[in-house]
Amino acid sequence: MPSKDSDHRNGPIIPLTRWYRSLAAAGLHNPAVHGPARHWLQVEGSFTRALQQQCRYRFHVEVCNEGFAVPTLEEARRLGLAPRQRAWIREVRLCGDSQPWVLARTVIPLACLEGKGRRLRNLGNKPLGAYLFSRPEWLRGPLETGLCQNTDDQQPQLARRSLFHRGNEALMVGEYLLPTLYQR
C-alpha cells in the first residue's frame, strides 16, 4: 500500500482475523475474550478517549501506512464494496506512555471522502476517533469481536471493530489490542 507518512515496512502487522458479531460468540471459540482484555473489547464511546485516560504521561498516534489501496475481500464484503474497489486505508499505532498499545486499521470508502469527508485523508497524527466522535453526523454501529490468527505473543490476539455510518455511507475502524495494553 502506498505510504503517505512513513515506510510500509515499518508499519503494523495487522493479523488475519476472524470476526464475530458479539463478545459471547467469540468467547465460544476463545475464552481469552473474557479475561483482562474484556474491558477494552467492550469500551463504548471513544476508544481514543479511554486510552488517553489510561496514560500517566502522554498519548500519541503514529501513522504507519496511509493511502489508496484495495481492502481485503472480507472488509469489502462487510462495507458492501465491489471486489478490488479502492478505498483510503489508514494504519496507525495508538501509543500510551511511549509504548504501542493498539494497532488500528481504518477502511474509508471513496464515497466517505467527498465534501467534508475530505478531512479524513488529512488527519496526520490526530486520532480518527476524536474526529468521528466530535461529528454528530457519524454514528457508530455495533461492536464486533475479532480473534487474531498469529503465533507471536507480542502481536494482537484479540481485536474489535465497528462501522461508523453517515447516512448511507459507512467506514470501518478495527482496533487490534497489543498485550502491553491489558497485561500491565
Side-chain angles (χ1 to χ4, degrees):
M1 164 182 352
S3 175
K4 180 176 178 181
D5 293 324
S6 66
D7 189 305
H8 177 70
R9 292 167 291 179
N10 295 326
I13 298 170
I14 302 295
L16 184 61
T17 304
R18 183 165 176 91
W19 295 99
Y20 297 89
R21 297 291 174 153
S22 70
L23 187 78
L28 294 173
H29 300 277
N30 185 345
V33 301
H34 300 296
R38 182 182 182 124
H39 165 75
W40 296 104
L41 293 169
Q42 295 182 301
V43 167
E44 294 289 334
S46 172
F47 194 70
T48 301
R49 174 93 58 230
L51 290 171
Q52 289 170 330
Q53 291 172 348
Q54 285 297 303
C55 289
R56 291 186 190 128
Y57 308 108
R58 181 172 100 90
F59 173 84
H60 70 280
V61 175
E62 294 176 0
V63 177
C64 301
N65 305 302
E66 188 172 40
F68 289 106
V70 178
T72 68
L73 188 55
E74 193 276 336
E75 290 169 336
R77 276 193 206 122
R78 186 73 181 93
L79 284 164
L81 300 176
R84 295 183 296 282
Q85 181 177 338
R86 289 167 34 110
W88 185 260
I89 298 179
R90 172 179 159 101
E91 293 182 344
V92 301
R93 285 185 196 95
L94 305 177
C95 302
D97 300 331
S98 301
Q99 219 176 358
W101 283 350
V102 175
L103 305 180
R105 177 176 167 92
T106 304
V107 179
I108 306 172
L110 301 180
C112 294
L113 297 172
E114 296 174 1
K116 291 181 183 179
R118 285 187 299 244
R119 294 180 186 158
L120 292 168
R121 286 185 51 200
N122 299 301
L123 292 173
N125 289 336
K126 295 180 186 134
L128 173 68
Y131 174 84
L132 292 173
F133 281 99
S134 70
R135 304 292 189 281
E137 67 270 18
W138 286 102
L139 301 173
R140 174 189 247 155
L143 288 171
E144 297 178 47
T145 302
L147 302 178
C148 304
Q149 301 173 13
N150 63 45
T151 57
D152 183 346
D153 289 342
Q154 300 309 305
Q155 290 300 309
Q157 306 295 314
L158 303 169
R160 57 182 249 153
R161 77 173 179 188
S162 57
L163 298 183
F164 282 81
H165 300 272
R166 181 180 65 187
N168 294 328
E169 302 163 355
L171 61 84
M172 179 186 299
V173 177
E175 294 142 339
Y176 300 78
L177 311 182
L178 291 165
T180 55
L181 173 65
Y182 56 89
Q183 293 178 349
R184 305 184 292 134

